[in-house]
Amino acid sequence: MTTKNDLETQVKDLTEQLEQAQDRHQKLASALGQMRYRVFEVLDLEPTVRNKIVNEIDTVFKRVL
């Protein structure tokens, strides 16, 4: 039989896991955003190459979100 304390512990654990997953998600989104910025602003690339790379980054970004 599951007690109230068991359920509260499970909810606490699940909440912590969710917060950790959200933190990882935010860090990944930030890293992808930084990569996108660097491709546009830092790297000296031909426009077609730059656009292809940014499209690929955007595709990954959309899958993550």
Side-chain angles (χ1 to χ4, degrees):
M1 184 167 122
T2 304
T3 66
K4 178 183 174 189
N5 287 340
D6 291 339
L7 291 173
E8 287 174 344
T9 300
Q10 288 177 4
V11 168
K12 182 183 174 194
D13 291 343
L14 289 172
T15 301
E16 289 175 5
Q17 289 175 21
L18 176 61
E19 289 171 353
Q20 290 172 357
Q22 288 172 332
D23 185 51
R24 286 190 304 269
H25 181 269
Q26 182 60 36
K27 287 178 182 176
L28 179 57
S30 177
L32 287 172
Q34 290 175 23
M35 280 178 36
R36 193 176 197 283
Y37 166 80
R38 289 176 183 269
V39 168
F40 265 117
E41 302 295 332
V42 177
L43 300 178
D44 184 25
L45 300 170
E46 293 180 24
T48 56
V49 173
R50 180 183 61 233
N51 290 340
K52 179 66 175 167
I53 292 171
V54 168
N55 285 338
E56 292 301 320
I57 291 171
D58 289 347
T59 299
V60 172
F61 195 77
K62 289 174 188 173
R63 287 182 192 158
V64 170
L65 298 178

